[in-house]
Amino acid sequence: MQKPVRIAPSILSANFASLGADIDAIAKAGADWVHVDVMDGHFVPNITIGPTVVKAVRDVTDIPFDVHLMISPVDPYVDDFVAADADIITAHIEAGPHIHRTLQYIKSLGKKAGVSLNPSTPASSICHILGIVDLVLVMTVNPGFGGQGFIEGQLAKISEIRQMIDKSGRDIDLEVDGGINPETAKQAISAGADVLVAGTAVFGGGNSDGGYKEKIQRLRG
Ligand code: DX5
Ligand code: ZN
């Protein structure tokens, strides 16, 4: 069942010189989760942050840390993100080689396990792992950078996965990531998403003029 919309600002677009303060500000502005984009310069063409940074800022707020791993391999780094106190750890199905094992391992450590799909990956690729995932993350841009345009063709995939989740009867969050603004947020929600990641739409322009609070509110539809 589609749950009330939650907003997960992506700190990729935050001010890294004052990351802790920016995380505190979005939490106070009503963000539901903190979305952390981890990139390795191998699975995606960009390098961002790792577990040391997550650990350093984790105590700034109590809201969940939603860690999106755009790395390959994944398994050797899961322990470090668990130690950094991530709440949700999401791996890409394309990162290989054994996504089922990766998800089982994350869950065995008491964390929520998510699977993410690149735009070219079909919904059917996750039908045999829906029984163990807590979250499905549909990429609506090619992963690697903030500020890209929403790929509308992914809406059909979001609807398809919404039906698969409802049919499974399991409590699985359906998250959408990339190019989310007040307009695309509406489209994603009506297709069945219940968690929206937003980098540019929250952090772009900073915290002045209504600030993070207004920008987060506008995404709720
Ligand atoms: C892309 C990342 C996204 C991205 C979202 O690889 O996974 O989380 O930062 O940024 P916007 O909202 O600017 O598209
Ligand atoms: Zn992300």
PDB file of all heavy atoms in Angstrom, residues 148-174:
ATOM      1  N   GLN A 148      20.129  16.764 -12.834  1.00  0.00           N
ATOM      2  CA  GLN A 148      19.747  16.285 -14.166  1.00  0.00           C
ATOM      3  C   GLN A 148      18.221  16.300 -14.324  1.00  0.00           C
ATOM      4  O   GLN A 148      17.478  16.362 -13.351  1.00  0.00           O
ATOM      5  CB  GLN A 148      20.255  14.861 -14.383  1.00  0.00           C
ATOM      6  CG  GLN A 148      21.749  14.671 -14.182  1.00  0.00           C
ATOM      7  CD  GLN A 148      22.163  13.219 -14.433  1.00  0.00           C
ATOM      8  OE1 GLN A 148      22.314  12.791 -15.572  1.00  0.00           O
ATOM      9  NE2 GLN A 148      22.337  12.449 -13.360  1.00  0.00           N
ATOM     10  N   GLY A 149      17.779  16.182 -15.577  1.00  0.00           N
ATOM     11  CA  GLY A 149      16.337  16.211 -15.861  1.00  0.00           C
ATOM     12  C   GLY A 149      15.666  14.862 -15.606  1.00  0.00           C
ATOM     13  O   GLY A 149      16.235  13.804 -15.908  1.00  0.00           O
ATOM     14  N   PHE A 150      14.457  14.903 -15.061  1.00  0.00           N
ATOM     15  CA  PHE A 150      13.622  13.732 -14.775  1.00  0.00           C
ATOM     16  C   PHE A 150      13.305  12.972 -16.074  1.00  0.00           C
ATOM     17  O   PHE A 150      12.873  13.573 -17.052  1.00  0.00           O
ATOM     18  CB  PHE A 150      12.330  14.256 -14.139  1.00  0.00           C
ATOM     19  CG  PHE A 150      11.366  13.225 -13.657  1.00  0.00           C
ATOM     20  CD1 PHE A 150      11.504  12.631 -12.410  1.00  0.00           C
ATOM     21  CD2 PHE A 150      10.264  12.875 -14.431  1.00  0.00           C
ATOM     22  CE1 PHE A 150      10.583  11.705 -11.946  1.00  0.00           C
ATOM     23  CE2 PHE A 150       9.330  11.952 -13.978  1.00  0.00           C
ATOM     24  CZ  PHE A 150       9.494  11.365 -12.734  1.00  0.00           C
ATOM     25  N   ILE A 151      13.520  11.666 -16.076  1.00  0.00           N
ATOM     26  CA  ILE A 151      13.224  10.853 -17.265  1.00  0.00           C
ATOM     27  C   ILE A 151      11.780  10.347 -17.144  1.00  0.00           C
ATOM     28  O   ILE A 151      11.499   9.409 -16.394  1.00  0.00           O
ATOM     29  CB  ILE A 151      14.198   9.660 -17.387  1.00  0.00           C
ATOM     30  CG1 ILE A 151      15.665  10.155 -17.419  1.00  0.00           C
ATOM     31  CG2 ILE A 151      13.886   8.820 -18.624  1.00  0.00           C
ATOM     32  CD1 ILE A 151      16.715   9.043 -17.345  1.00  0.00           C
ATOM     33  N   GLU A 152      10.881  10.977 -17.896  1.00  0.00           N
ATOM     34  CA  GLU A 152       9.441  10.670 -17.751  1.00  0.00           C
ATOM     35  C   GLU A 152       9.091   9.225 -18.048  1.00  0.00           C
ATOM     36  O   GLU A 152       8.124   8.688 -17.507  1.00  0.00           O
ATOM     37  CB  GLU A 152       8.616  11.586 -18.656  1.00  0.00           C
ATOM     38  CG  GLU A 152       8.509  12.969 -18.087  1.00  0.00           C
ATOM     39  CD  GLU A 152       7.270  13.707 -18.558  1.00  0.00           C
ATOM     40  OE1 GLU A 152       6.363  13.077 -19.114  1.00  0.00           O
ATOM     41  OE2 GLU A 152       7.247  14.932 -18.362  1.00  0.00           O
ATOM     42  N   GLY A 153       9.868   8.601 -18.925  1.00  0.00           N
ATOM     43  CA  GLY A 153       9.614   7.207 -19.288  1.00  0.00           C
ATOM     44  C   GLY A 153       9.666   6.261 -18.098  1.00  0.00           C
ATOM     45  O   GLY A 153       9.183   5.123 -18.175  1.00  0.00           O
ATOM     46  N   GLN A 154      10.242   6.723 -16.988  1.00  0.00           N
ATOM     47  CA  GLN A 154      10.334   5.865 -15.788  1.00  0.00           C
ATOM     48  C   GLN A 154       9.020   5.790 -15.013  1.00  0.00           C
ATOM     49  O   GLN A 154       8.869   4.956 -14.127  1.00  0.00           O
ATOM     50  CB  GLN A 154      11.447   6.363 -14.855  1.00  0.00           C
ATOM     51  CG  GLN A 154      12.838   6.319 -15.465  1.00  0.00           C
ATOM     52  CD  GLN A 154      13.226   4.914 -15.896  1.00  0.00           C
ATOM     53  OE1 GLN A 154      13.219   3.973 -15.105  1.00  0.00           O
ATOM     54  NE2 GLN A 154      13.562   4.757 -17.167  1.00  0.00           N
ATOM     55  N   LEU A 155       8.071   6.659 -15.355  1.00  0.00           N
ATOM     56  CA  LEU A 155       6.800   6.659 -14.615  1.00  0.00           C
ATOM     57  C   LEU A 155       6.068   5.325 -14.762  1.00  0.00           C
ATOM     58  O   LEU A 155       5.485   4.814 -13.797  1.00  0.00           O
ATOM     59  CB  LEU A 155       5.908   7.821 -15.075  1.00  0.00           C
ATOM     60  CG  LEU A 155       6.385   9.213 -14.631  1.00  0.00           C
ATOM     61  CD1 LEU A 155       5.651  10.302 -15.406  1.00  0.00           C
ATOM     62  CD2 LEU A 155       6.195   9.396 -13.125  1.00  0.00           C
ATOM     63  N   ALA A 156       6.144   4.751 -15.964  1.00  0.00           N
ATOM     64  CA  ALA A 156       5.467   3.461 -16.189  1.00  0.00           C
ATOM     65  C   ALA A 156       6.106   2.389 -15.306  1.00  0.00           C
ATOM     66  O   ALA A 156       5.417   1.510 -14.769  1.00  0.00           O
ATOM     67  CB  ALA A 156       5.570   3.072 -17.655  1.00  0.00           C
ATOM     68  N   LYS A 157       7.424   2.496 -15.129  1.00  0.00           N
ATOM     69  CA  LYS A 157       8.111   1.504 -14.281  1.00  0.00           C
ATOM     70  C   LYS A 157       7.706   1.668 -12.817  1.00  0.00           C
ATOM     71  O   LYS A 157       7.514   0.683 -12.096  1.00  0.00           O
ATOM     72  CB  LYS A 157       9.633   1.646 -14.448  1.00  0.00           C
ATOM     73  CG  LYS A 157      10.412   0.597 -13.702  1.00  0.00           C
ATOM     74  CD  LYS A 157      11.783   0.415 -14.324  1.00  0.00           C
ATOM     75  CE  LYS A 157      12.772   1.413 -13.798  1.00  0.00           C
ATOM     76  NZ  LYS A 157      14.052   1.338 -14.511  1.00  0.00           N
ATOM     77  N   ILE A 158       7.561   2.918 -12.395  1.00  0.00           N
ATOM     78  CA  ILE A 158       7.127   3.169 -11.008  1.00  0.00           C
ATOM     79  C   ILE A 158       5.743   2.537 -10.787  1.00  0.00           C
ATOM     80  O   ILE A 158       5.519   1.840  -9.784  1.00  0.00           O
ATOM     81  CB  ILE A 158       7.106   4.691 -10.701  1.00  0.00           C
ATOM     82  CG1 ILE A 158       8.516   5.282 -10.818  1.00  0.00           C
ATOM     83  CG2 ILE A 158       6.530   4.968  -9.302  1.00  0.00           C
ATOM     84  CD1 ILE A 158       8.555   6.806 -10.855  1.00  0.00           C
ATOM     85  N   SER A 159       4.829   2.739 -11.736  1.00  0.00           N
ATOM     86  CA  SER A 159       3.481   2.152 -11.608  1.00  0.00           C
ATOM     87  C   SER A 159       3.539   0.631 -11.567  1.00  0.00           C
ATOM     88  O   SER A 159       2.836  -0.012 -10.780  1.00  0.00           O
ATOM     89  CB  SER A 159       2.591   2.528 -12.792  1.00  0.00           C
ATOM     90  OG  SER A 159       2.543   3.893 -12.948  1.00  0.00           O
ATOM     91  N   GLU A 160       4.395   0.076 -12.423  1.00  0.00           N
ATOM     92  CA  GLU A 160       4.516  -1.383 -12.470  1.00  0.00           C
ATOM     93  C   GLU A 160       5.026  -1.929 -11.136  1.00  0.00           C
ATOM     94  O   GLU A 160       4.511  -2.918 -10.601  1.00  0.00           O
ATOM     95  CB  GLU A 160       5.479  -1.738 -13.604  1.00  0.00           C
ATOM     96  CG  GLU A 160       5.331  -3.129 -14.142  1.00  0.00           C
ATOM     97  CD  GLU A 160       6.320  -3.417 -15.287  1.00  0.00           C
ATOM     98  OE1 GLU A 160       6.644  -2.492 -16.062  1.00  0.00           O
ATOM     99  OE2 GLU A 160       6.791  -4.548 -15.374  1.00  0.00           O
ATOM    100  N   ILE A 161       6.033  -1.242 -10.582  1.00  0.00           N
ATOM    101  CA  ILE A 161       6.591  -1.709  -9.303  1.00  0.00           C
ATOM    102  C   ILE A 161       5.591  -1.482  -8.172  1.00  0.00           C
ATOM    103  O   ILE A 161       5.490  -2.296  -7.251  1.00  0.00           O
ATOM    104  CB  ILE A 161       7.969  -1.058  -9.032  1.00  0.00           C
ATOM    105  CG1 ILE A 161       8.964  -1.528 -10.098  1.00  0.00           C
ATOM    106  CG2 ILE A 161       8.471  -1.392  -7.626  1.00  0.00           C
ATOM    107  CD1 ILE A 161      10.340  -0.901 -10.020  1.00  0.00           C
ATOM    108  N   ARG A 162       4.814  -0.415  -8.241  1.00  0.00           N
ATOM    109  CA  ARG A 162       3.758  -0.197  -7.235  1.00  0.00           C
ATOM    110  C   ARG A 162       2.794  -1.391  -7.215  1.00  0.00           C
ATOM    111  O   ARG A 162       2.438  -1.915  -6.159  1.00  0.00           O
ATOM    112  CB  ARG A 162       3.025   1.124  -7.547  1.00  0.00           C
ATOM    113  CG  ARG A 162       1.682   1.361  -6.888  1.00  0.00           C
ATOM    114  CD  ARG A 162       1.684   1.188  -5.369  1.00  0.00           C
ATOM    115  NE  ARG A 162       2.704   1.978  -4.695  1.00  0.00           N
ATOM    116  CZ  ARG A 162       3.228   1.654  -3.505  1.00  0.00           C
ATOM    117  NH1 ARG A 162       2.833   0.576  -2.848  1.00  0.00           N
ATOM    118  NH2 ARG A 162       4.153   2.415  -2.952  1.00  0.00           N
ATOM    119  N   GLN A 163       2.430  -1.860  -8.408  1.00  0.00           N
ATOM    120  CA  GLN A 163       1.518  -3.027  -8.478  1.00  0.00           C
ATOM    121  C   GLN A 163       2.194  -4.274  -7.920  1.00  0.00           C
ATOM    122  O   GLN A 163       1.567  -5.053  -7.201  1.00  0.00           O
ATOM    123  CB  GLN A 163       1.105  -3.286  -9.924  1.00  0.00           C
ATOM    124  CG  GLN A 163       0.088  -2.275 -10.427  1.00  0.00           C
ATOM    125  CD  GLN A 163      -0.289  -2.514 -11.879  1.00  0.00           C
ATOM    126  OE1 GLN A 163      -0.075  -3.596 -12.430  1.00  0.00           O
ATOM    127  NE2 GLN A 163      -0.836  -1.494 -12.520  1.00  0.00           N
ATOM    128  N   MET A 164       3.461  -4.461  -8.242  1.00  0.00           N
ATOM    129  CA  MET A 164       4.184  -5.639  -7.740  1.00  0.00           C
ATOM    130  C   MET A 164       4.261  -5.613  -6.214  1.00  0.00           C
ATOM    131  O   MET A 164       4.078  -6.636  -5.545  1.00  0.00           O
ATOM    132  CB  MET A 164       5.617  -5.661  -8.325  1.00  0.00           C
ATOM    133  CG  MET A 164       5.682  -5.996  -9.810  1.00  0.00           C
ATOM    134  SD  MET A 164       7.279  -5.538 -10.570  1.00  0.00           S
ATOM    135  CE  MET A 164       8.418  -6.629  -9.731  1.00  0.00           C
ATOM    136  N   ILE A 165       4.533  -4.420  -5.660  1.00  0.00           N
ATOM    137  CA  ILE A 165       4.642  -4.302  -4.200  1.00  0.00           C
ATOM    138  C   ILE A 165       3.284  -4.594  -3.555  1.00  0.00           C
ATOM    139  O   ILE A 165       3.187  -5.359  -2.581  1.00  0.00           O
ATOM    140  CB  ILE A 165       5.141  -2.893  -3.803  1.00  0.00           C
ATOM    141  CG1 ILE A 165       6.616  -2.734  -4.178  1.00  0.00           C
ATOM    142  CG2 ILE A 165       4.927  -2.619  -2.312  1.00  0.00           C
ATOM    143  CD1 ILE A 165       7.183  -1.328  -3.975  1.00  0.00           C
ATOM    144  N   ASP A 166       2.230  -4.004  -4.105  1.00  0.00           N
ATOM    145  CA  ASP A 166       0.901  -4.200  -3.515  1.00  0.00           C
ATOM    146  C   ASP A 166       0.500  -5.676  -3.575  1.00  0.00           C
ATOM    147  O   ASP A 166      -0.062  -6.214  -2.631  1.00  0.00           O
ATOM    148  CB  ASP A 166      -0.136  -3.310  -4.210  1.00  0.00           C
ATOM    149  CG  ASP A 166       0.074  -1.832  -3.850  1.00  0.00           C
ATOM    150  OD1 ASP A 166       0.894  -1.548  -2.946  1.00  0.00           O
ATOM    151  OD2 ASP A 166      -0.568  -0.977  -4.470  1.00  0.00           O
ATOM    152  N   LYS A 167       0.840  -6.311  -4.682  1.00  0.00           N
ATOM    153  CA  LYS A 167       0.515  -7.729  -4.842  1.00  0.00           C
ATOM    154  C   LYS A 167       1.288  -8.579  -3.832  1.00  0.00           C
ATOM    155  O   LYS A 167       0.797  -9.596  -3.342  1.00  0.00           O
ATOM    156  CB  LYS A 167       0.866  -8.152  -6.266  1.00  0.00           C
ATOM    157  CG  LYS A 167       0.129  -9.371  -6.730  1.00  0.00           C
ATOM    158  CD  LYS A 167       0.287  -9.586  -8.228  1.00  0.00           C
ATOM    159  CE  LYS A 167       0.112 -11.068  -8.534  1.00  0.00           C
ATOM    160  NZ  LYS A 167       0.912 -11.493  -9.673  1.00  0.00           N
ATOM    161  N   SER A 168       2.501  -8.149  -3.499  1.00  0.00           N
ATOM    162  CA  SER A 168       3.327  -8.932  -2.561  1.00  0.00           C
ATOM    163  C   SER A 168       2.778  -8.869  -1.145  1.00  0.00           C
ATOM    164  O   SER A 168       3.054  -9.728  -0.314  1.00  0.00           O
ATOM    165  CB  SER A 168       4.770  -8.413  -2.557  1.00  0.00           C
ATOM    166  OG  SER A 168       4.874  -7.227  -1.763  1.00  0.00           O
ATOM    167  N   GLY A 169       2.023  -7.800  -0.851  1.00  0.00           N
ATOM    168  CA  GLY A 169       1.473  -7.636   0.497  1.00  0.00           C
ATOM    169  C   GLY A 169       2.539  -7.264   1.519  1.00  0.00           C
ATOM    170  O   GLY A 169       2.261  -7.175   2.718  1.00  0.00           O
ATOM    171  N   ARG A 170       3.758  -7.022   1.076  1.00  0.00           N
ATOM    172  CA  ARG A 170       4.840  -6.683   2.013  1.00  0.00           C
ATOM    173  C   ARG A 170       4.934  -5.166   2.211  1.00  0.00           C
ATOM    174  O   ARG A 170       4.507  -4.381   1.379  1.00  0.00           O
ATOM    175  CB  ARG A 170       6.183  -7.244   1.509  1.00  0.00           C
ATOM    176  CG  ARG A 170       6.206  -8.779   1.482  1.00  0.00           C
ATOM    177  CD  ARG A 170       7.614  -9.330   1.330  1.00  0.00           C
ATOM    178  NE  ARG A 170       8.439  -9.030   2.488  1.00  0.00           N
ATOM    179  CZ  ARG A 170       9.485  -8.208   2.476  1.00  0.00           C
ATOM    180  NH1 ARG A 170       9.867  -7.628   1.355  1.00  0.00           N
ATOM    181  NH2 ARG A 170      10.168  -7.993   3.576  1.00  0.00           N
ATOM    182  N   ASP A 171       5.536  -4.790   3.325  1.00  0.00           N
ATOM    183  CA  ASP A 171       5.732  -3.373   3.652  1.00  0.00           C
ATOM    184  C   ASP A 171       7.041  -2.899   3.001  1.00  0.00           C
ATOM    185  O   ASP A 171       8.123  -3.045   3.572  1.00  0.00           O
ATOM    186  CB  ASP A 171       5.801  -3.253   5.189  1.00  0.00           C
ATOM    187  CG  ASP A 171       6.032  -1.819   5.632  1.00  0.00           C
ATOM    188  OD1 ASP A 171       5.958  -0.905   4.794  1.00  0.00           O
ATOM    189  OD2 ASP A 171       6.316  -1.625   6.836  1.00  0.00           O
ATOM    190  N   ILE A 172       6.918  -2.394   1.776  1.00  0.00           N
ATOM    191  CA  ILE A 172       8.109  -1.992   1.009  1.00  0.00           C
ATOM    192  C   ILE A 172       7.934  -0.531   0.574  1.00  0.00           C
ATOM    193  O   ILE A 172       6.912  -0.172  -0.017  1.00  0.00           O
ATOM    194  CB  ILE A 172       8.279  -2.880  -0.255  1.00  0.00           C
ATOM    195  CG1 ILE A 172       8.436  -4.359   0.146  1.00  0.00           C
ATOM    196  CG2 ILE A 172       9.465  -2.413  -1.094  1.00  0.00           C
ATOM    197  CD1 ILE A 172       8.425  -5.332  -1.039  1.00  0.00           C
ATOM    198  N   ASP A 173       8.907   0.295   0.880  1.00  0.00           N
ATOM    199  CA  ASP A 173       8.862   1.693   0.437  1.00  0.00           C
ATOM    200  C   ASP A 173       9.235   1.763  -1.039  1.00  0.00           C
ATOM    201  O   ASP A 173      10.134   1.043  -1.490  1.00  0.00           O
ATOM    202  CB  ASP A 173       9.853   2.545   1.252  1.00  0.00           C
ATOM    203  CG  ASP A 173       9.423   2.680   2.698  1.00  0.00           C
ATOM    204  OD1 ASP A 173       8.241   2.988   2.939  1.00  0.00           O
ATOM    205  OD2 ASP A 173      10.261   2.464   3.600  1.00  0.00           O
ATOM    206  N   LEU A 174       8.575   2.661  -1.770  1.00  0.00           N
ATOM    207  CA  LEU A 174       8.907   2.881  -3.184  1.00  0.00           C
ATOM    208  C   LEU A 174       9.432   4.309  -3.348  1.00  0.00           C
ATOM    209  O   LEU A 174       8.689   5.288  -3.246  1.00  0.00           O
ATOM    210  CB  LEU A 174       7.664   2.624  -4.062  1.00  0.00           C
ATOM    211  CG  LEU A 174       7.827   2.829  -5.573  1.00  0.00           C
ATOM    212  CD1 LEU A 174       9.072   2.145  -6.131  1.00  0.00           C
ATOM    213  CD2 LEU A 174       6.591   2.298  -6.304  1.00  0.00           C
TER     214      LEU A 174
END
